[in-house]
Amino acid sequence: MATWTWFHRLGSPPHVYGFARRWTPWFGGAAAVCMVVALYGGLVLAPEDYQQKDAFRMVYVHAPAAWLSLMIYTTMAVAAAVGLIWRMKVAHAAAAACAPVGAWFTVAALGTGMLWGKPMWGAYWVWDPRLTSELVLLFLYLGYMGLRSGIEDSSKADKASAVLAVVGVINVPIIKFSVEWWNSLHQTPTVMKMGKPTMDTAMLWPLLLMFLAFALYFAAVLLIRLRAELLRRERNASWVREVVS
Amino acid sequence: MKTPALEVARLVAARDLRLAFRKPSQLLQPLMFFMIVATLFPLTLTPEMSRLRDAAPGVLWVGALLSSLLALEFLFRDDAQDGTLEQFALSGQSLTWMLFAKTCVHWMLSGLPLALSAPIAAAMLGVPAAAMWSVVASLALGGFALSLVGAVTAGLTLGARRGGVLLSLLTLPLAVPILVFGAAATGRAISGDDIAGPMYYLGAIAVLGVTLAPLAAAAAVRIGLE
Amino acid sequence: MSEFLSMSGYGRYLWPAFALGIGVVVLNLVMALNSLSNARKEARRRLEIDPENAA
């Protein structure tokens, strides 16, 4: 029974708004601390890689960005599915809030990947499977945002983009698989895989901590955007008055 | 009384075929588009057959994809405009099966003819005669998968502004796996290798599409009709 | 210190990469806060216009 109350409260915009407002500073603060510590560990403490020397340190920004871009898409699709199945406006609002953040981190993953690729393989763009998949993921994000903005009625936009997100999330592993397969066909002698240096512990913990930092950061940003979405969607409700005055 | 789903599908398919053959010239348009695209590549790249042969899988598949995007506009448009789609949704019969029938007919009228006439375009690109059967087979299977994916995105963009461009933007990323495996099959056929591997993957995608796409398309259409 | 900045010669790729990463982090935070503040202003404005309905 307690679980149902919790679930029902999740569907109540004022409750979620209050939760978001209270918890954002905690997520944000924790994210900042983790990020600083992880950056220190990665840039200063970790020893240089045998092959890539200090260039490998770009993993501390590239890998978390790429991982986040995927994680956000999944979150967006899950929120969209919840919104579709249980008809929860809050869930649809959360999905909408995810999209721009996810798209930006895909851009970051691509940009940092290009900056890593240039010294490693001599070219800013290589058709590495990870970079290629990230590019397709960016198109998926842009398509999602395009569909949302292309439909006037906000409830229809919610539902249609939710179907798209679910279809997209099923496709992401298939796309990744096909791109990996394609890349393995055309393997050039130089190892094209985005440098996965064999990591010893000193190199690994800052990376894991950075993943955590980015995840906490995303939680904070999502909660902020979610609050904005809820305010925009719930204009008629009385709880809005209490919150903004 | 609920009619068996297969019967409903058959009726919808028969209707779509009858309607389509009233305007046979419209059936030729995606085909002509494909041929023109196939001609543009040699004009913009090189007349050298050996180099064109290397590019042939890409040219054929991108051409097929673009042509299929054009044809996709007509999958639901007419029925949405005159209210038929709404009647389908309200009829109490399985919208999923009806849309599956429409998708199959759509493929029979666009993807399949394209695959069958692809040898002409392929010959213009230097593809050897021995590879032609594989070219047709891969384009036919891939075209079917494309129609399935396109049915979902066409359903989603029914009510959207500038739906045409949006349809292309939504469909292209989702079509990447089909393109990858399809072009690989065609490429292998040209170099005389066995095409079984990529064809199996293409088949798997088509099967997944058959199971899921009509459901998603029906959901999309219902949302658009609300 | 200059050794740290040069990063065994890769500095000119590494630092822009980190700048991009941190930049996206900051940018998204700023955009989110902006979005929230605009939503609040908008809600306040609508409440003023029509206190009963806030339509």
Side-chain angles (χ1 to χ4, degrees), chain A residues 94-111:
Chain A
C98 285
V101 187
W104 270 112
F105 276 94
T106 316
V107 170
L110 285 169

Side-chain angles (χ1 to χ4, degrees), chain A residues 143 149-150 152 156 159-160 178 181, chain B residues 156 160-161 170 180 184 224 226:
Chain A
S149 67
E152 302 274 357
K156 278 195 203 184
K159 293 185 196 154
S178 70
W181 185 87
Chain B
L156 286 172
R161 282 171 292 154
L170 295 184
V180 163
E226 266 172 21

Side-chain angles (χ1 to χ4, degrees), chain A residues 141-158:
Chain A
Y141 270 115
L142 295 178
Y144 175 88
M145 297 195 293
L147 184 64
R148 261 194 181 278
S149 67
I151 299 180
E152 302 274 357
D153 181 276
S154 77
S155 157
K156 278 195 203 184
D158 277 346

Side-chain angles (χ1 to χ4, degrees), chain A residues 27-37 213 216-217:
Chain A
F27 281 121
V33 167
C34 289
M35 239 182 250
V36 168
V37 173
L216 291 167
Y217 161 82

Side-chain angles (χ1 to χ4, degrees), chain C residues 26-38:
Chain C
V26 169
L27 178 71
N28 272 280
L29 183 61
V30 165
M31 291 198 306
L33 289 169
N34 229 5
S35 162
L36 180 58
S37 119
N38 284 338

Side-chain angles (χ1 to χ4, degrees), chain A residues 57-124:
Chain A
R57 296 186 201 275
M58 285 193 262
V59 77
Y60 294 112
V61 70
H62 172 76
W67 176 78
L68 203 63
S69 72
L70 274 170
M71 206 263 283
I72 294 179
Y73 196 90
T74 316
T75 309
M76 188 173 83
V78 169
V82 168
L84 267 182
I85 299 172
W86 284 285
R87 300 175 192 226
M88 281 170 65
K89 275 190 289 186
V90 173
H92 284 303
C98 285
V101 187
W104 270 112
F105 276 94
T106 316
V107 170
L110 285 169
T112 52
M114 284 163 67
L115 285 165
W116 200 355
K118 176 69 171 155
M120 289 295 107
W121 297 304
Y124 279 112

